[in-house]
Amino acid sequence: MLMKSDAAAPRAAGKQDPQAPVALVVGSGFGGMAAAVRLAAKGYRVTVLEKLDAPGGRAYVHRREGHVFDAGPTIVTVPYLFDELWALAGRKFSDDIELKSLDPFYRIRFDDGDHFDYSGDPARMRAEVRRISPSDAEGFERFMREADQCYELGFRTLGDKAFDTVGDLIKAAPLIIRLRGWRSLHQMVSSHLKHPKLRIAMSLQSLLIGGNPFSVTSMYALVNALERQWGVHWAMGGTGELIRGLVDVFEGMGGTMRLKAEVKRIEVDNGVATGVTLADGERLPADIVVCNGDTGYLYKNLVDARWRKHWTDARIERGHYSMGLFVWYFGTDRRYEDVPHHMMVLGPRYRELLDDIFRKKKLAGDFSIYLHRPTATDPSMAPAGCDTFYALMPVPHLGSGTDWTTQAEPYRQSVQEALERTVLPGLGQHLRVSFCTTPLDFQHRLLSYKGAGFGLEPLLLQSAYFRPHNRSEDVKNLFMVGASTHPGAGVPGVIMSAKALESVLPDPATFRR
């Protein structure tokens, strides 16, 4: 079911007007591919330029010895956003992609061995809350009601609206004030729930979009309501199947995909974007340029400083950036049937660990682990009788000065030891594939400023109007989609950034010659 209809009618497969204006999309992550589909539907001739050897960006897929590893995002939480994109090409999403609902959504394992199974079943959620803290039962109901308000106002009302002007901010201000958006998410949760475990279970979701629950705006309680409203789903074959499907839809509309095409410069003439220059020196002219990449890196490295009155180097440096990510991908020659699809294996500290990561920029000796086991749902992700995993740990971004060339392996070994003690006994004896990515990979491979995993942290004054705009504040005909712009990170957020983009795009007819 579509929540909102799209104005653009489906375009004939494979047809693009050779006289239509040219749009270049830099980056083929979810935001870039969603933008490419919407641009093609509006009547632009679209080419997507991807630095890597395969599409996806942060949703790249690694294949090793029969194991399939989704590099980054692993779930679908708002399926109708994909329905909309397929419908723009006159196709049905469900004909191409099989989604499977997850139950529970994820298991939160506390350091004392207790756990909370987070699901979409209201009765079971209430039972889990009462099991941990009977006195918090009514507080949980109040929290979910407030989370529903955040969802209605923050996601449905504002999520796909480009915050392009001060007027847009003024219109939204009453909603933000009404929800007391100046509070942190953890403050909001704590106003309803008293037990420390429940406060953790209802606030850690902001980490999935790069935000410290002790500092991001309470509006991000919308994630809890969003999951309950739409469920948490797995795309059979892996998240990479979603990217493959989007590429197929885009190319079916006549779009062009170019791999190993790294952009080294956004060409600007008299304050107007006129195309790009690739790493090999090739110049590609365009009427508009849409960037699905880290905005800090983009402005600092791809746009000449003389054109940047707003996003100066100093302003970029002053920003508060999300944490970095250390991800250990591994496959085993046995299956761990007791481990669900998603599990948060928490360490002994919560607030103190996040303080080390976000404020002190210190690589701590302890950690919390987001453990992903797709083979719990989809055996095709590994050879028969084997399991595929990734373990993701929030760590400081490269502003910490951590030397990952020497720290990566000791850190990985510590993670392995922790998993062996808790949920994966005998892990070391059963490893058959193992490799890691660190903030250095995010900086050099994904071109992320400071190696941050999600761009600017989603603080109140780095959200909506205060986040890099979907339409560049500095350069005409330069636009942004993805985690670093409005509305922010997470698969729903980056896909909705392409919807927000539509509201500020010039009509293709304005470029007709």
Side-chain angles (χ1 to χ4, degrees):
M1 180 183 71
L2 301 185
M3 184 180 292
K4 299 178 183 177
S5 62
D6 278 84
R11 297 186 65 81
K15 301 290 185 181
Q16 287 199 344
D17 181 354
Q19 300 303 313
V22 173
L24 296 177
V25 177
V26 182
S28 65
F30 278 115
M33 293 313 305
V37 169
R38 290 185 178 277
L39 286 162
K42 286 184 74 70
Y44 284 92
R45 282 184 292 153
V46 189
T47 296
V48 176
L49 304 169
E50 171 54 53
K51 169 182 179 285
L52 303 178
D53 62 353
R58 284 168 171 77
Y60 189 88
V61 178
H62 302 284
R63 300 179 189 275
R64 306 281 177 93
E65 298 184 27
H67 294 268
V68 182
F69 298 97
D70 285 319
T74 60
I75 57 174
V76 176
T77 50
V78 190
Y80 81 83
L81 293 173
F82 289 98
D83 291 334
E84 288 180 348
L85 294 172
W86 261 251
L88 289 173
R91 293 168 58 169
K92 274 189 75 173
F93 176 63
S94 59
D95 288 343
D96 295 332
I97 304 292
E98 179 187 355
L99 293 184
K100 188 166 184 178
S101 298
L102 300 184
D103 185 21
F105 296 163
Y106 39 86
R107 173 171 294 167
I108 301 167
R109 183 193 186 278
F110 300 99
D111 192 53
D112 64 3
D114 190 13
H115 70 266
F116 185 103
D117 277 350
Y118 199 110
S119 74
D121 184 320
R124 283 163 51 201
M125 285 289 284
R126 293 183 182 110
E128 283 285 83
V129 168
R130 286 194 298 270
R131 178 180 62 80
I132 289 176
S133 176
S135 63
D136 275 317
E138 178 52 38
F140 173 70
E141 301 296 336
R142 293 195 306 271
F143 165 69
M144 289 311 300
R145 286 195 294 271
E146 188 166 3
D148 285 342
Q149 290 182 310
C150 292
Y151 166 75
E152 288 295 323
L153 298 177
F155 186 84
R156 291 189 61 181
T157 303
L158 302 177
D160 60 0
K161 304 293 189 297
F163 278 76
D164 198 46
T165 68
V166 173
D168 296 325
L169 175 63
I170 292 171
K171 289 177 185 177
L175 300 180
I176 298 171
I177 293 170
R178 176 180 164 188
L179 292 174
R180 292 180 289 166
W182 58 83
R183 296 173 299 165
S184 75
L185 174 60
H186 194 269
Q187 285 175 327
M188 183 269 225
V189 170
S190 298
S191 71
H192 299 297
L193 300 166
K194 304 307 177 188
H195 198 286
K197 288 181 179 178
L198 296 180
R199 289 178 171 181
I200 292 171
M202 302 302 155
S203 67
L204 57 71
Q205 289 78 7
S206 67
L207 289 163
L208 302 177
I209 55 172
N212 180 354
F214 292 93
S215 55
V216 301
T217 170
S218 59
M219 295 285 287
Y220 285 102
L222 68 84
V223 176
N224 302 71
L226 181 149
E227 291 176 338
R228 186 160 55 95
Q229 171 78 20
W230 296 102
V232 172
H233 311 272
W234 170 253
M236 297 300 285
T239 312
E241 287 299 293
L242 295 169
I243 293 293
R244 180 202 56 77
L246 282 167
V247 171
D248 186 59
V249 167
F250 169 63
E251 292 183 333
M253 299 170 81
T256 300
M257 173 73 65
R258 289 188 58 177
L259 303 176
K260 298 182 180 179
E262 180 179 355
V263 172
K264 277 298 187 184
R265 185 168 62 253
I266 306 292
E267 297 295 342
V268 181
D269 182 8
N270 198 29
V272 180
T274 58
V276 305
T277 296
L278 303 183
D280 64 4
E282 183 180 2
R283 169 82 161 80
L284 300 176
D287 295 285
I288 66 171
V289 178
V290 178
C291 289
N292 172 217
D294 183 86
T295 53
Y297 179 91
L298 160 77
Y299 279 121
K300 193 172 178 65
N301 295 280
L302 303 188
V303 178
D304 192 286
R306 63 183 165 144
W307 305 118
R308 293 189 279 115
K309 305 302 181 187
H310 185 85
W311 290 107
T312 62
D313 287 357
R315 188 187 191 103
I316 293 167
E317 182 61 33
R318 285 197 305 269
H320 296 277
Y321 290 85
S322 69
M323 73 282 202
L325 300 173
F326 183 98
V327 191
W328 177 31
Y329 305 89
F330 59 96
T332 60
D333 61 11
R334 60 156 288 190
R335 290 178 60 84
Y336 287 87
E337 300 293 359
D338 293 337
V339 177
H341 193 119
H342 296 289
M343 177 183 278
M344 283 72 164
V345 184
L346 304 184
R349 304 184 303 154
Y350 185 55
R351 182 168 194 156
E352 297 83 0
L353 175 62
L354 295 175
D355 199 41
D356 283 344
I357 293 169
F358 285 91
R359 190 175 68 83
K360 297 179 182 177
K361 306 293 189 295
K362 165 188 168 185
L363 183 63
D366 60 322
F367 38 74
S368 288
I369 304 167
Y370 167 41
L371 186 65
H372 175 227
R373 179 183 172 243
T375 35
T377 303
D378 188 351
S380 74
M381 301 293 284
C386 298
D387 262 338
T388 290
F389 292 91
Y390 83 40
L392 179 150
M393 283 64 62
V395 295
H397 61 57
L398 293 176
S400 67
T402 302
D403 181 1
W404 285 107
T405 63
T406 60
Q407 291 295 315
E409 181 54 20
Y411 192 81
R412 187 208 64 78
Q413 289 176 2
S414 296
V415 172
Q416 179 180 323
E417 291 166 4
L419 290 172
E420 287 178 328
R421 288 195 310 269
T422 53
V423 296
L424 300 179
L427 174 58
Q429 302 165 25
H430 294 283
L431 288 174
R432 65 188 307 266
V433 179
S434 174
F435 62 101
C436 300
T437 61
T438 77
L440 281 177
D441 297 284
F442 277 80
Q443 181 182 58
H444 299 305
R445 190 167 183 269
L446 297 174
L447 305 182
S448 177
Y449 186 62
K450 295 190 177 183
F454 304 89
L456 289 166
E457 186 183 359
L459 307 171
L460 180 61
L461 295 182
Q462 292 188 160
S463 298
Y465 176 79
F466 303 106
R467 204 164 182 82
H469 291 186
N470 301 105
R471 172 163 51 190
S472 173
E473 301 94 321
D474 289 314
V475 178
K476 186 178 179 181
N477 293 343
L478 176 62
F479 302 88
M480 310 292 165
V481 292
S484 295
T485 187
H486 174 72
V491 175
V494 299
I495 293 179
M496 288 185 77
S497 72
K499 294 188 73 173
L501 169 73
E502 275 197 300
S503 66
V504 293
L505 280 175
D507 188 316
T510 63
F511 295 104
R512 298 283 180 176
R513 296 172 178 83

